[in-house]
Amino acid sequence: MRKIVKILSSRLFVCIVLIALQIWLLISWLYNTAVAHAALPSTEILAIIMSIYVINRQEDSAYKIGWCFLMLALPVFGCTMYLLCVGRKMPQSLADGTIHANDRMKGLLSQDENVRKDLDEKIPEKKRLFTYGLEKSGFPVCEHTQAQYFGSGEEWFPVFLEELKKARRFIFLEYFIIDKGSMWDETLDVLKQKVKEGVEVKIIYDDFGCVALPARYDRTLNEMGIETYKFNRLRPALMITMNNRDHRKLAIIDNQVGFTGGLNLADEYVNRITRFGYWRDSALMIKGEAVWSMTVMFLGMYSFLKKDDDNIDYSRYHLPLEQAYDETGFFQPFSDTPTDDADMGLSAHLNLINTARKYVYIDTPYLILNDAMKTALILAASNGVDVRILTPHVPDKQMAFQMTRGNYEELLRGGVKIYEYTPGFNHTKNIVTDDDCGLAGSINTDYRSYYLHFEDGILFHDRKTAVSMREAFEKGLAQSHQVTLEDCRKVPLALRIVISLVSLFAPLF
């Protein structure tokens, strides 16, 4: 039943219905029916008015072009879809609730002025990487933080389980996908044991991402003593409420340890089952002062879903560090929300590219870029920076895969090197530059991550972590095919036309 609801809630289903209506209207017009002759001029006038409105909005240019083309070419379909999407806005209750929660959380975070001074003194040429997140969204930069990078789910999972077993006060888990299987069974066994020991366990999962779970699985977990909430419950009636998903991947233990990255809690992420060849992914674990920012990020979403934030004592989760860390790197965990005008994920990506002097290496499952990202990548390559991007060779979604390939030729002509990971699907979501800076988290290089989803990441300046990330990237390159302009030219003309059309509407869906 939940899978049927997901289909009815999908953009594809609504698109099919609207396109069928548009085709019926056109056929009726050809047969000279009175209804069609009255309706078509009205829809064209509406499309022109709405296109003028869209053009004058403060939006990404590719986003505006796609909508205008769609509304003018297919007014019934395009205008209805735009009105449903409300210019990329989310339902008011969801927007108001998350804005209130985020405002409440900002009071729990503050910037240590000694760290700000260290930024000025130690990395003056790279400090502006962190300025946007600090000044625009209030995410502090932290020192005294230790990081460990994992280049696969198989490396990460045993460490993840071991850290869960060490929990004495609380475990927070927030994931886009949780699915039944041996990986989740092992995790759940640990969580149930921790509950018996008196540990506070809280879980947030996205209802759309976890459609494979039973509809009332949150109740099942609650009955086990695990406080569980579903983000944005799946509803067939309002397709567009499914547009804003909690795509974050967070695990926090006792305010001592934090995990993020591309990995969800399902068997394919640790290659216990095979879906799209070998599943390549990554995670970052941090310990130390920066973990509090991740704790606060979880509490923000938790307070929204619990709807009882006035009675939550947030200070009880700000546990003192059990160990001091002497590491000299800088770490800035952050969340990105579609409810504000601070595009943290996109800005962090652009800042990393623009500050790179030697190389920019990008891991991404979906290369669906706006104009700003394309310009930044090509400009960096033109300035002599070694820009390389690793994408999947085996896709999980054909449309996203063709959109990804649709960006290849322009980037290749601009000097960017592109590789496809031939053993399977590359789900890794990283950027690393110059052996000193990088970003790990849940953010894809696509419109949905930049503008629609709730995301998280950790921006860092730390040589050890950057080198580990770069070495994992190079290991992936060794198993990849380098894409050439000749490869792009070999694509059949019909497919190239389809890719061009699909890419035109990439910002919309």
Side-chain angles (χ1 to χ4, degrees):
M1 179 61 186
R2 278 170 58 79
K3 290 186 178 180
I4 294 174
V5 170
K6 182 175 181 179
I7 293 171
L8 294 176
S9 303
S10 70
R11 289 173 296 280
L12 180 59
F13 178 79
V14 176
C15 287
I16 290 171
V17 172
L18 290 173
I19 288 173
L21 179 60
Q22 179 77 69
I23 292 172
W24 172 82
L25 193 59
L26 289 172
I27 293 174
S28 298
W29 180 80
L30 289 174
Y31 279 92
N32 204 30
T33 66
V35 173
H37 277 276
L40 275 179
S42 301
T43 59
E44 290 292 349
I45 292 171
L46 176 63
I48 292 171
I49 294 171
M50 290 184 65
S51 296
I52 294 171
Y53 169 76
V54 170
I55 288 169
N56 285 280
R57 285 178 62 87
Q58 296 297 315
E59 304 277 11
D60 178 77
S61 60
Y63 181 80
K64 294 193 288 188
I65 290 170
W67 275 118
C68 289
F69 183 91
L70 194 62
M71 288 189 293
L72 292 170
L74 301 170
V76 174
F77 172 68
C79 293
T80 306
M81 283 299 297
Y82 187 82
L83 290 172
L84 283 174
C85 291
V86 195
R88 215 169 53 201
K89 299 298 182 185
M90 65 173 62
Q92 197 62 44
S93 60
L94 179 58
D96 291 345
T98 52
I99 288 171
H100 174 72
N102 288 338
D103 289 343
R104 181 73 179 266
M105 293 306 105
K106 285 179 182 178
L108 302 175
L109 296 172
S110 60
Q111 179 59 57
D112 185 333
E113 290 304 315
N114 290 324
V115 176
R116 195 191 289 265
K117 291 177 182 177
D118 284 345
L119 281 171
D120 292 334
E121 295 174 1
K122 295 179 180 179
I123 56 167
E125 74 286 355
K126 294 290 181 80
K127 68 176 183 178
R128 66 189 179 97
L129 272 175
F130 304 97
T131 303
Y132 184 89
L134 178 58
E135 302 298 335
K136 189 75 173 177
S137 299
F139 295 109
V141 185
C142 302
E143 291 182 295
H144 310 299
T145 299
Q146 182 185 88
Q148 182 177 353
Y149 178 77
F150 302 93
S152 71
E154 298 92 311
E155 292 177 21
W156 160 79
F157 188 56
V159 178
F160 172 74
L161 278 184
E162 193 59 35
E163 294 297 337
L164 291 180
K165 292 174 184 177
K166 294 177 185 177
R168 291 180 294 175
R169 297 284 295 278
F170 68 82
I171 295 171
F172 294 161
L173 301 178
E174 182 178 344
Y175 283 90
F176 179 60
I177 295 173
I178 296 174
D179 199 3
K180 288 187 173 182
S182 63
M183 179 193 185
W184 177 239
D185 287 344
E186 291 180 44
T187 304
L188 187 57
D189 285 343
V190 174
L191 298 180
K192 290 190 290 187
Q193 178 59 37
K194 288 290 126 180
V195 169
K196 291 179 181 178
E197 295 171 9
V199 174
E200 199 174 320
V201 181
K202 303 181 189 299
I203 293 178
I204 297 170
Y205 65 80
D206 186 89
D207 201 27
F208 190 83
C210 296
V211 69
L213 290 177
R216 298 184 178 182
Y217 194 64
D218 55 330
R219 297 186 185 183
T220 301
L221 293 176
N222 276 300
E223 289 169 359
M224 296 177 186
I226 299 170
E227 190 177 358
T228 305
Y229 297 90
K230 294 195 288 191
F231 178 86
N232 203 1
R233 289 176 181 271
L234 192 57
R235 297 177 179 90
L238 296 174
M239 172 277 297
I240 214 60
T241 67
M242 300 299 104
N243 226 19
N244 306 108
R245 307 314 315 171
D246 182 0
H247 194 243
R248 307 195 311 190
K249 287 93 175 161
L250 293 171
I252 304 104
I253 299 103
D254 290 346
N255 198 48
Q256 310 296 312
V257 182
F259 291 92
T260 190
L263 291 157
N264 286 297
L265 302 181
D267 281 356
E268 63 264 34
Y269 292 87
V270 290
N271 287 290
R272 294 185 179 181
I273 61 172
T274 301
R275 294 188 63 198
F276 311 106
Y278 180 81
W279 191 287
R280 184 174 180 273
D281 221 318
S282 69
L284 186 66
M285 176 178 71
I286 61 170
K287 298 181 178 182
E289 292 182 359
V291 177
W292 173 237
S293 293
M294 298 179 72
T295 304
V296 169
M297 283 155 47
F298 178 91
L299 288 172
M301 187 64 76
Y302 168 73
S303 67
F304 160 64
L305 295 171
K306 187 176 176 64
K307 305 187 189 310
D308 189 28
D309 57 349
D310 291 335
N311 296 314
I312 300 173
D313 180 10
Y314 298 105
S315 63
R316 64 191 292 263
Y317 300 106
H318 197 179
L319 304 179
L321 294 178
E322 299 173 357
Q323 179 180 341
Y325 296 95
D326 299 328
E327 278 73 9
T328 58
F330 297 94
F331 293 84
Q332 186 181 41
F334 66 87
S335 61
D336 193 4
T337 167
T339 58
D340 59 25
D341 60 352
D343 298 321
M344 271 298 302
L346 174 60
S347 299
H349 284 180
L350 289 171
N351 282 334
L352 279 166
I353 295 165
N354 291 334
T355 57
R357 296 295 174 263
K358 298 176 183 177
Y359 73 81
V360 176
Y361 292 166
I362 299 175
D363 268 303
T364 184
Y366 314 115
L367 189 67
I368 305 173
L369 305 175
N370 64 5
D371 289 342
M373 278 291 288
K374 286 181 184 177
T375 299
L377 290 167
I378 292 172
L379 181 61
S382 300
N383 288 335
V385 177
D386 181 13
V387 182
R388 304 187 185 204
I389 303 173
L390 182 56
T391 66
H393 182 71
V394 179
D396 68 332
K397 302 178 183 71
Q398 273 297 334
M399 183 174 289
F401 185 57
Q402 297 305 333
M403 289 180 186
T404 290
R405 286 185 159 181
N407 281 292
Y408 285 176
E409 187 166 352
E410 182 178 357
L411 293 173
L412 289 171
R413 291 186 183 280
V416 177
K417 302 181 184 72
I418 298 174
Y419 301 79
E420 287 188 350
Y421 180 69
T422 53
F425 184 61
N426 181 39
H427 192 252
T428 309
K429 312 163 192 298
N430 296 330
I431 297 183
V432 61
T433 68
D434 297 350
D435 273 9
D436 56 15
C437 294
L439 188 154
S442 65
I443 307 160
N444 295 316
T445 54
D446 66 10
Y447 285 84
R448 300 200 63 77
S449 278
Y450 289 151
Y451 300 119
L452 293 174
H453 288 166
F454 292 81
E455 304 280 3
D456 80 277
I458 300 177
L459 186 64
F460 64 84
H461 183 284
D462 182 66
R463 293 189 183 280
K464 179 182 175 182
T465 306
V467 169
S468 296
M469 191 177 285
R470 188 255 299 162
E471 289 175 346
F473 182 87
E474 291 174 338
K475 182 178 178 181
L477 287 190
Q479 299 174 281
S480 301
H481 164 72
Q482 183 171 1
V483 180
T484 65
L485 284 171
E486 185 61 29
D487 292 328
C488 296
R489 296 189 188 103
K490 289 179 181 177
V491 176
L493 179 60
L495 181 56
R496 295 182 72 172
I497 293 172
V498 170
I499 291 173
S500 297
L501 289 172
V502 168
S503 297
L504 177 64
F505 302 121
L508 281 55
F509 307 112

